Amino acid sequence: MPEVPGVSGPAGAPGGTGVEGLTVPGLTGLAGAGSAGAGLSPKAVGKALRAAVPRAGHAEWEADAGRPGAVEMVEASNAGRLPRLTPIRVGRMAASPFAFLRGSAGLMGHDLVRTAVTGIGAQICGDAHAANFGLYGDARGGMVIDLNDFDETLHGPWEWDLKRLATSLVLAGREAGAGEDTCRAAARDAVGAYRRTMRLLARMPVADAWNAIADERLVTHADARELVGTLERVEQKARRNTSARFAAKATEQADGGLRFLDAPPVLSRVPDEEATAVAMALPGYLRTLPEELLPLLGRYEVQDVAFRVVGTGSVGLRSYVVLLLDHRGEPLVLQVKEARPSVLLPYAEKAGFPPPEAGHEGRRVVLGQKRMQVVSDVLLGWATVEGRPYQVRQFRNRKGSVDPAALATDELDDYGRMTGALLARAHAHSADPRVIAGYCGKSAELDEAVARFAAAYADRTEKDHGELVSAVRGGRLAAEAGV
């Protein structure tokens, strides 16, 4: 590739773009919420909501007449993606009903509008399925367990994340060969852990609740002891999952330096002008970082840029890896990934949550992530490449994940409890845990209702998956399997 500038920006480049103050809107979209809550404690406000939105009502859902078909949804969501990569996306979604769910957050958003909505708003993941939790490294070498995918994040109904998590556990369990009772128990336990964790956070001092349960102590809290061995193995693998290890496998010596290997379709070299456009966007990225980090990145130089295919929901979006080297030749790899509007945006608006002001979609993803995680990648930022918004983050910062569809039967409900607890902690950063805890209550009524919904929606997802497979077999959709 041609010579490109270093990562360092101009001296004194502005930074300090930390998360600004978040005004918690509370019961967004609930008619009369302001007057109904007057004089009541937050817990009482949540409890009073049960009359308007009974917890048992969360079990109910019916497909509406205007619901798009599975194939129609996939075709529509492929718009704007790179056509050469959409067969990979279709192939991944066709692999199983659980895989289909992972790529169809927009379709589920359409359906969730027709379910019970409390009106309590939170910063939600938007795609909180069971495979979007995992381990990653913090800046000091520690390991954190948390949500780790925020492409669809926005302000919306907290229960949407919970229903997506519960449904994904049912589908993952079915794929693993678990019995239906086990699958439903995992969904029910996830909701129960969410409810109990929210109650715990509501009783804690605010600062303690804010920083709670992001490490191995969560396993004990969530009564997920059967997972200990699995998490230890994932952690050992995650610690080796670094930029240096990736660079050692994915680069070669060329012209006195390193360059990425050409290994399509997953990793591909790009034309010089495309690589230069990505590199030229990095000074703008620096301006989205805290100012104290500028000297760190200023000691690296851009070495190469390549295109790299990303996960199921994002296949077909533009995504690059940027190889940086320090003065000793030690690598740091950044991922520069296209950011599009959340697929849940129109559905959240229908549910009574007004859309945010138009802005940079990479910024939306980054700030949403910071609002939900206890510890985030210190190099999270955003950039604009040839007019398109991107998010920027470290690539392979000791990430590790559990495949929920490969868990043993006795681990599935433990995993459900762990992820349910994590989700509650994430929501409690932006929603008052006292209000949600007041609504959820002490009984298992909500647990049972969401588990019933999850089983029913898993059945619908299996039908949707079947439609997609039929379209592939019939030649309507091209699919490339095993990529």
Side-chain angles (χ1 to χ4, degrees):
M1 62 176 289
E3 182 179 352
V4 293
V7 182
S8 54
T17 57
V19 180
E20 71 270 20
L22 178 65
T23 301
V24 181
L27 308 181
T28 304
L30 184 64
S35 58
L40 297 178
S41 69
K43 179 180 178 181
V45 169
K47 190 173 182 178
L49 273 173
R50 300 179 200 168
V53 188
R55 290 168 295 177
H58 288 282
E60 300 171 6
W61 171 74
E62 289 184 6
D64 63 292
R67 185 182 194 265
V71 179
E72 178 185 354
M73 180 279 299
V74 171
E75 290 175 332
S77 64
N78 280 341
R81 299 175 189 260
L82 297 171
R84 62 184 173 83
L85 296 178
T86 55
I88 297 176
R89 179 171 185 254
V90 173
R92 290 182 180 180
M93 292 181 67
S96 70
F98 178 48
F100 178 88
L101 182 82
R102 293 178 63 174
S104 58
L107 180 60
M108 191 169 187
H110 175 98
D111 295 332
L112 286 170
V113 172
R114 296 177 58 83
T115 65
V117 175
T118 61
I120 304 172
Q123 185 75 33
I124 64 173
C125 168
D127 193 18
H129 61 71
N132 271 347
F133 294 78
L135 295 163
Y136 58 92
D138 63 22
R140 295 183 176 273
M143 299 299 291
V144 182
I145 310 171
D146 215 333
L147 278 159
N148 59 15
D149 189 301
F150 298 88
D151 290 356
E152 312 303 343
T153 188
L154 79 172
H155 186 79
W158 61 272
E159 54 266 48
W160 286 9
D161 271 355
L162 191 58
K163 289 174 181 176
R164 187 156 173 80
L165 172 60
T167 301
S168 71
L169 287 164
V170 172
L171 288 169
R174 289 176 181 178
E175 185 175 333
E180 192 64 14
D181 288 346
T182 298
C183 296
R184 293 194 184 204
R188 185 170 57 249
D189 285 356
V191 183
Y194 181 97
R195 176 175 52 81
R196 290 188 296 273
T197 301
M198 197 63 77
R199 287 177 57 81
L200 173 64
L201 295 171
R203 296 194 300 266
M204 293 171 65
V206 170
D208 291 346
W210 187 270
N211 295 299
I213 56 174
D215 56 22
E216 64 277 358
R217 289 171 293 178
L218 173 68
V219 176
T220 301
H221 164 77
D223 192 23
R225 295 176 181 83
E226 295 294 336
L227 272 180
V228 170
T230 296
L231 290 175
E232 287 176 347
R233 290 189 294 273
V234 171
E235 180 178 346
Q236 290 173 3
K237 185 176 180 181
R239 288 189 179 279
R240 299 191 299 270
N241 193 17
T242 63
S243 285
R245 189 177 179 89
F246 172 72
K249 291 183 175 181
T251 64
E252 61 184 357
Q253 290 286 338
D255 300 325
L258 291 178
R259 70 177 184 186
F260 285 112
L261 294 167
D262 194 36
V266 175
L267 185 67
S268 305
R269 296 194 56 76
V270 296
D272 286 350
E273 58 272 20
E274 189 173 351
T276 299
V278 175
M280 292 296 290
L282 294 181
Y285 153 67
L286 286 178
R287 290 191 286 273
T288 72
L289 296 179
E291 189 169 352
E292 65 270 15
L293 292 176
L294 299 184
L296 168 66
L297 286 176
R299 294 168 188 170
Y300 287 90
E301 291 290 333
V302 175
Q303 183 77 8
D304 199 13
V305 176
F307 188 99
R308 191 176 190 280
V309 174
V310 286
T312 300
S314 300
V315 175
L317 300 184
R318 295 158 182 83
S319 181
Y320 302 92
V321 282
V322 181
L323 176 65
L324 313 176
L325 297 180
D326 69 8
H327 66 287
R328 291 169 49 90
E330 294 295 323
L332 171 67
V333 180
L334 296 178
Q335 182 183 49
V336 182
K337 179 183 174 184
E338 185 180 1
R340 303 207 300 183
S342 171
V343 295
L344 296 188
L345 185 60
Y347 310 114
E349 187 174 3
K350 288 181 181 179
F353 294 83
E357 294 183 7
H360 195 286
E361 294 299 333
R363 180 179 185 274
R364 170 189 60 81
V365 174
V366 169
L367 296 191
Q369 180 169 347
K370 289 183 176 181
R371 284 170 178 157
M372 297 191 75
Q373 290 181 326
V374 172
V375 178
S376 296
D377 176 6
V378 296
L379 298 184
L380 277 178
W382 58 92
T384 302
V385 182
E386 296 185 320
R388 289 191 175 90
Y390 286 75
Q391 57 175 294
V392 185
R393 59 191 181 192
Q394 290 186 68
F395 186 67
R396 299 284 175 89
N397 60 327
R398 303 193 302 283
K399 278 192 174 182
S401 60
V402 175
D403 179 0
L407 289 172
T409 298
D410 59 353
E411 294 180 318
L412 187 64
D413 58 343
D414 281 26
Y415 189 71
R417 284 191 292 273
M418 185 185 77
T419 52
L422 285 171
L423 186 61
R425 202 264 334 129
H427 286 168
H429 267 189
S430 56
D432 191 330
R434 297 170 297 175
V435 178
I436 298 180
Y439 178 79
C440 293
K442 296 180 180 179
S443 77
E445 188 171 2
L446 181 68
D447 314 3
E448 296 289 346
V450 175
R452 289 197 298 274
F453 166 85
Y457 199 80
D459 292 344
R460 175 68 257 185
T461 302
E462 289 177 343
K463 293 179 181 178
D464 291 334
H465 172 256
E467 291 178 14
L468 179 66
V469 171
S470 295
V472 170
R473 290 174 177 168
R476 177 174 173 178
L477 288 174
E480 189 172 345
V483 179

